[in-house]
Amino acid sequence: AEGAAVLKPAYERVGPLVAEAVAPPNTARARQGVARVEVLNGTTWPNWAYLAADRLLWEGFDVVNVQQADRTDYQQTTVTDFNRTEKGSPVSHLAAVMRVDEASVVVSDTARDDVDFRVIIGYDYNPCYKSYWRAVHGATATQ
């Protein structure tokens, strides 16, 4: 009445998402050296860099710096690779965790001693998306 709405949760779908959220990271992948990552928030949405950093920590990355980016109008999340090593590089895993396609991964011309990768969070970043969602709902499900 009067435009009010009640949302009823689909409990059969909530359980698996909560289980994944509290589960430890996948340890089936080959162990590589711990990659040092800095995460910068390129949006006006507060704390998004911290949400991404938390996800990266769960995935085994060493987050060494979290702060605001140089500007707040990044539309797409980007990964910069300062490591410049192809063999054994965790860049593909990092890109998969951040859901970044190859076009958004940039290899830097200069190496850094303090960090291997930089992630700049853009407006396309969805901190609530979990890989389990696709497994449960299919590849064509709306995120």
Side-chain angles (χ1 to χ4, degrees):
E2 298 182 28
V6 175
L7 298 177
K8 181 180 174 186
Y11 292 106
E12 68 279 358
R13 291 184 178 178
V14 172
L17 291 174
V18 171
E20 183 190 5
V22 297
N26 181 3
T27 57
R29 63 184 174 88
R31 294 299 286 170
Q32 298 162 338
V34 176
R36 298 165 299 164
V37 182
E38 70 177 355
V39 182
L40 308 179
N41 185 0
T43 74
T44 57
W45 295 328
N47 300 321
W48 270 38
Y50 289 103
L51 291 171
D54 187 58
R55 173 67 193 239
L56 292 172
L57 286 168
W58 269 99
E59 292 291 334
F61 291 95
D62 180 15
V63 178
V64 296
N65 183 26
V66 179
Q67 65 184 35
Q68 189 64 39
D70 59 336
R71 57 183 219 266
T72 59
D73 62 348
Y74 285 90
Q75 297 304 308
Q76 293 186 310
T77 300
T78 60
V79 173
T80 302
D81 183 351
F82 297 107
N83 204 14
R84 299 184 296 154
T85 304
E86 291 182 24
K87 187 174 182 178
S89 174
V91 69
S92 61
H93 180 62
L94 175 61
V97 169
M98 299 309 300
R99 292 176 306 282
V100 171
D101 60 20
E102 287 183 29
S104 296
V105 176
V106 178
V107 177
S108 176
D109 291 335
T110 58
R112 287 180 54 181
D113 292 331
D114 60 333
V115 68
D116 300 310
F117 302 99
R118 173 188 296 142
V119 175
I120 299 178
I121 302 301
Y123 284 102
D124 66 336
Y125 179 63
N126 185 351
C128 299
Y129 175 84
K130 294 289 185 182
S131 58
Y132 192 81
W133 180 262
R134 283 188 178 222
V136 171
H137 303 289
T140 60
T142 304
Q143 300 177 14

